[in-house]
């Protein structure tokens, strides 16, 4: 074969390679042209028979044949593997991509994480404990009789084992005090359970953040400073706090803590029901009877504790009118936060 014939054969081989519909058709093309008994060895053998003046050109054509046909077969193999049998032209590259929406923080998580951060700057670390608690840790150690005909018992999910679902996160604090000597500075964010009938402000599952500090000579004044700092960090720098007297079995004295309304600044509006104040936390100085239960000497140590509802803070802060909205998992609602 002279150079012209080799070039024509090359053209045919390139076309066949490009037209091969699948891998086995392509392999047949390869064997036919490049295989041991194919056209290329035939071409090479034929070179010697050519007159000397044609041999150089034919040699170059043979090299081009080998190079180009090999390349065409490789290229077609790659295309067949990548696209399967789909023709590349059928993919519309102008279509928009498939977007996956990023997730967002849930408002309850946002409040919890913010509280952990703010109390963290004041030296409080996070403590965790079981959701299934003993009556001792949830009630008795907190100076609250478990089987007293009080609201507490009716509001509790009791298990057949005699255990219960914790109604607050204070039992975590009891467990910490049982295992550690003062000073103690902890917060306990976590899920709580009460047998409430669900309505706009009550849910059988909710979240609490409690805080506890125990040291020598801690007082209600330290508590007020800590809660005032938290109020300003979460509701804005102009937020004021006030204490009103209250009763809890585990603190004495006990208070309820109001934040000035972040919407109207205290002049009265819908959110604060015209009072200028919003009830946020319950708190007090830890009752010495609680210290006796965990083996702390009440003559040596004093402390303060507080508790607040996470959903309630989220509702106040973001203007959410109904607690159930936080748990319906309606993306159109939840994507407004985070
Ligand atoms: C509320 C009231 C409160 C505490 C929680 C507490 C914990 C220990 C000892 C004494 Cl270990 N007290 N916690 C104290 C006062 C109030 O929560 O209204 N929570 C939503």
């Amino acid at each position: 074969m002279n150079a012209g014939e080799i070039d024509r054969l090359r053209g045919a081989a390139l076309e066949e390679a490009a037209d091969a519909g699948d891998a086995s058709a392509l392999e047949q093309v390869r064997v036919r042209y490049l295989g041991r008994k194919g056209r290329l060895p035939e071409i090479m053998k034929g070179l010697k028979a050519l007159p000397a003046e044609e041999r150089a050109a034919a040699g170059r054509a043979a090299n081009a044949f080998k190079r180009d046909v090999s390349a065409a077969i490789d290229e077609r193999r790659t295309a067949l593997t990548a696209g399967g049998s789909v023709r590349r032209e059928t993919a519309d590259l102008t279509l928009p991509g498939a977007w996956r929406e990023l997730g967002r923080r849930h408002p309850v998580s946002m409040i919890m994480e913010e509280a952990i951060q703010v109390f963290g700057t004041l030296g409080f670390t996070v403590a965790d404990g079981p959701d299934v608690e003993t009556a001792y840790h949830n009630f008795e150690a907190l100076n609250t009789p478990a089987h007293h005909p009080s609201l507490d018992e009716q509001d509790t999910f009791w298990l057949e084992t005699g255990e219960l679902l914790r109604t607050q996160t204070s039992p975590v604090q009891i467990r910490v005090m049982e295992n550690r000597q003062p000073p103690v500075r902890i917060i306990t964010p976590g899920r709580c359970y009460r047998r409430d009938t669900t309505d706009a402000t009550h849910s059988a599952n909710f979240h609490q953040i409690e805080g506890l500090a125990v040291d020598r000579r801690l007082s209600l004044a330290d508590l007020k400073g800590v809660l005032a700092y938290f109020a300003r960090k979460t509701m804005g720098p102009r937020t004021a706090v006030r204490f009103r007297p209250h009763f809890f079995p585990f603190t004495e004295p006990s208070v309820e803590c109001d934040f000035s309304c972040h919407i109207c600044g205290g002049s009265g509006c819908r959110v604060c029901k015209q009072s200028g104040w919003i009830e946020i936390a319950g708190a007090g100085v830890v009752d010495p009877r609680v210290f006796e239960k965990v083996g702390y000497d009440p003559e040596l140590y004093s402390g303060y504790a507080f508790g607040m509802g996470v959903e309630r803070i989220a509702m106040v802060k973001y203007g959410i009118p109904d607690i159930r909205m936080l748990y319906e998992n309606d993306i159109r609602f939840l994507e407004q936060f985070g």
Side-chain angles (χ1 to χ4, degrees):
M1 260 190 271
N2 63 27
E5 288 163 336
I6 295 172
D7 280 344
R8 265 193 302 284
L9 193 60
R10 182 177 60 120
L14 293 181
E15 226 169 89
E16 283 177 46
D19 285 348
D22 56 33
S24 86
L26 186 63
E27 176 63 7
Q28 283 171 27
V29 174
R30 190 191 68 78
V31 169
R32 188 152 61 246
Y33 288 99
L34 305 179
R36 214 153 36 83
K37 295 179 182 161
R39 304 305 298 268
L40 181 62
E42 182 191 326
I43 292 169
M44 300 310 277
K45 241 178 279 163
L47 290 179
K48 297 192 198 88
L50 286 174
E53 66 273 20
E54 286 183 29
R55 209 176 290 152
R60 281 193 294 276
N63 284 338
F65 180 95
K66 183 178 181 188
R67 183 189 63 223
D68 293 355
V69 175
S70 298
I73 288 171
D74 286 348
E75 186 190 335
R76 186 61 186 150
R77 186 181 298 122
T78 306
L80 285 172
T81 320
S85 57
V86 178
R87 287 187 158 269
R88 267 183 295 178
E89 309 83 67
T90 61
D92 182 352
L93 300 182
T94 66
L95 285 173
W99 290 97
R100 190 180 288 259
E101 284 279 341
L102 282 180
R104 284 165 221 249
R105 286 262 181 284
H106 191 280
V108 168
S109 300
M110 289 167 65
I111 298 294
M112 292 226 272
E113 286 168 16
E114 186 176 21
I116 290 168
Q117 196 276 326
V118 171
F119 286 113
T121 65
L122 295 174
F124 288 79
T125 54
V126 174
D128 201 359
D131 289 22
V132 174
E133 266 294 0
T134 64
Y136 177 80
H137 289 95
N138 195 80
F139 289 127
E140 282 171 52
L142 288 155
N143 197 37
T144 312
H147 298 286
H148 191 264
S150 69
L151 280 179
D152 274 332
E153 188 168 13
Q154 289 173 33
D155 288 353
T156 305
F157 287 112
W158 289 92
L159 307 184
E160 282 163 4
T161 58
E163 294 167 303
L164 50 79
L165 299 181
R166 68 184 183 195
T167 58
Q168 58 215 44
T169 60
S170 343
V172 178
Q173 300 175 317
I174 295 295
R175 289 176 182 278
V176 169
M177 289 191 283
E178 284 174 341
N179 290 302
R180 246 197 254 165
Q181 286 303 304
V184 167
R185 238 168 219 271
I186 52 171
I187 55 168
T188 54
R191 188 184 288 276
C192 304
Y193 307 81
R194 284 195 196 166
R195 277 180 64 175
D196 274 331
T197 304
T198 302
D199 63 22
T201 54
H202 294 83
S203 166
N205 283 194
F206 61 101
H207 296 77
Q208 243 200 353
I209 298 168
E210 285 206 17
L212 171 73
V214 184
D215 208 333
R216 297 180 194 236
R217 308 166 65 103
L218 284 179
S219 76
L220 213 57
D222 301 294
L223 167 67
K224 196 166 190 177
V226 163
L227 289 180
Y229 180 77
F230 175 71
R232 289 195 293 268
K233 285 292 176 191
T234 54
M235 295 303 194
R238 301 165 71 86
T239 310
V241 300
R242 75 174 184 187
F243 280 174
R244 285 177 290 104
H246 198 69
F247 173 80
F248 296 110
F250 28 84
T251 45
E252 180 62 32
S254 303
V255 297
E256 280 194 315
C257 180
D258 299 337
F259 292 3
S260 62
C261 181
H262 61 297
I263 301 291
C264 63
S267 57
C269 69
R270 186 181 53 84
V271 171
C272 59
K273 300 195 189 93
Q274 308 306 328
S275 77
W277 295 93
I278 301 175
E279 184 189 319
I280 294 289
V285 170
V286 179
D287 194 298
R289 271 172 243 193
V290 175
F291 283 157
E292 280 163 11
K293 294 277 189 191
V294 298
Y296 284 3
D297 181 355
E299 295 296 324
L300 206 52
Y301 297 113
S302 62
Y304 58 82
F306 54 87
M308 46 204 171
V310 180
E311 283 81 354
R312 173 158 170 78
I313 297 176
M315 290 168 73
V316 166
K317 182 165 180 177
Y318 302 123
I320 299 167
D322 191 312
I323 194 171
R324 288 167 289 201
M325 298 171 89
L326 290 168
Y327 294 112
E328 282 165 354
N329 291 332
D330 185 335
I331 292 291
R332 295 166 301 179
F333 169 73
L334 290 175
E335 72 185 0
Q336 301 174 84
F337 311 96

